[in-house]
Amino acid sequence: MSASLIKDVKKTFIEKFKSKPLLIFSPGRINIIGEHTDYNDGFVFPAAIDKGIAAAIQKSASSSCTAVALDLDSTIKFELDKIKPSKEGSWENYVLGVVAEIQNKNKVVGNFNIVFKGNIPGGAGMSSSAALENSVVFGLNELFELKLTKEEMILISQKAEHNYVGVNCGIMDQYASMFGKKEHALHLDCRNNEAKPYKIDFKDHQLILINTNVKHSLSDSAYNDRRAACESISKLLNIKALRDATEADLKKVIDKVPPSNYQKALFVIQENSRTLKAAKAIEDNDLKKLGALIYQSHQGLSNQYKVSCDELDFLVNQTKKNKHVLGARMMGGGFGGCTINLIAKSEAKAFIETVSKVYKNKFNKACSTYLIKLEKGTHIVK
Ligand code: GLA
């Protein structure tokens, strides 16, 4: 699948710019558990996948840069000394933001052209945005010998998201996309960005994604609001981040915070602890336990953190009727996108058929399913 993406961007690049590009593949990610914990300095458990963004990039002799989003059939030209955010919600901000944040580090990039194309639908909660940002910073680092470390590159991608896209995201997506490891998930401590890789082989079980194919508006502002709520409670507790709080600590300020925010902070504390327990469950090969934690995560995301939606809740509820599914939950920021499901391999096909039918009946639109492979992070394609 990624081979055909690479072929497409290469072909278009050569036709358009008459030079040989550097080719990069930058993956999207899944997350087994640990949602909305990253910006609370907590733990997450993501993995890079075999879907993402392919980019063809090369220096340009012209006096401006050109970026082509092949899927959208959309092209922009820009000048390096006049970079500013484009209109809200446009793909351009991912590219412009990365260039601007590189410049903010006093690193000098020259004019360049880029063509990119992806096979993750936007809004699926599989981080096509981090994949794109990483492909741009990785390519520019290589072409202009910027000598950025991978750690510096993901911080640039994250800042692009904050300052150009307008989402105050954590580091999970950029980290997973850049540092992914074949057949492994990364148990990442978002306080120091250190990860322990876990080989993921669930034997007769597997992870599948089901995409609601919806993305509700306001998801960006709702995300930023939640982050702000978490930070205000940390301040009240006089700690650096909610990662440092226990449920007992939180109880001490119960009278000082609105009940809805109290529930959100409680969710973060509990989700962080579930993420630690999930690593242990995987070490112990205890898939029942892992599945139960995944279900609890959804419960919390839906009822306490309030980032789910009818479509996601429906898909998770359907799995509860099938004893071959050990756990299911919404994945990523929320308000649409995918659920991640831990299911017996032998039952996956039948389950997908059933769930597709009932989803169509209920919402009058189709859901999509993805079988995914865990792959390495952002890299050059020879
Ligand atoms: C989005 C953000 C991540 C993370 C998740 C929720 O994907 O980009 O940083 O906060 O939501 O876990």
Side-chain angles (χ1 to χ4, degrees), residues 29 31 34-39 44 125 127 161 167 169-174 223 332-334:
R29 61 107 189 92
N31 185 26
E35 222 62 86
H36 292 275
T37 43
D38 61 351
Y39 53 80
V44 291
S127 285
E161 190 102 17
V167 180
C169 65
I171 199 65
M172 168 168 75
D173 303 351
Q174 290 79 9
Y223 184 96

Side-chain angles (χ1 to χ4, degrees), residues 172-190:
M172 168 168 75
D173 303 351
Q174 290 79 9
Y175 188 99
S177 169
M178 183 67 77
F179 288 94
K181 187 168 172 200
K182 194 177 169 66
E183 289 167 6
H184 287 72
L186 304 169
H187 198 251
L188 172 66
D189 181 340
C190 298

Side-chain angles (χ1 to χ4, degrees), residues 99-120:
V99 177
E101 295 302 338
I102 292 176
Q103 292 174 333
N104 279 345
K105 282 186 71 91
N106 292 322
K107 297 270 180 185
V108 182
V109 294
N111 288 310
F112 69 95
N113 298 317
I114 183 169
V115 175
F116 70 88
K117 181 175 182 175
N119 55 3
I120 306 177

